[in-house]
Amino acid sequence: MTHLQRVQDITALGVYVRHRGDSHILCNDPETGMTFAVHSGEAIGAALDRAGARYQEAMKGSHGDGHRVHR
């Protein structure tokens, strides 16, 4: 699957409005199940890449080696 095909499968869930008045479009990536926000002026692909990178960093920080812990 190409990056473009993956982006085409993204589902827009709605708009999240913060108390400060700024808003973000909430999307879901069916491939990973990840829900992420698209900021104003940001392309969906860029938002998906940003969210994926943050997820990978969080996994490294919580488990030390980036691998999931199976119980």
Side-chain angles (χ1 to χ4, degrees), residues 5-20:
Q5 288 170 319
R6 183 168 177 209
V7 169
Q8 289 174 339
D9 287 338
I10 300 296
T11 303
L13 302 174
V15 177
Y16 171 69
V17 179
R18 299 176 77 175
H19 295 291
R20 299 184 305 216

Side-chain angles (χ1 to χ4, degrees), residues 4-59:
L4 179 60
Q5 288 170 319
R6 183 168 177 209
V7 169
Q8 289 174 339
D9 287 338
I10 300 296
T11 303
L13 302 174
V15 177
Y16 171 69
V17 179
R18 299 176 77 175
H19 295 291
R20 299 184 305 216
D22 54 337
S23 60
H24 307 292
I25 298 170
L26 294 179
C27 297
N28 180 264
D29 175 14
E31 184 176 315
T32 63
M34 181 172 52
T35 298
F36 61 96
V38 180
H39 300 163
S40 178
E42 184 177 39
I44 290 176
L48 181 59
D49 291 343
R50 177 181 43 78
R54 288 185 68 189
Y55 175 78
Q56 290 301 322
E57 283 300 313
M59 290 301 292

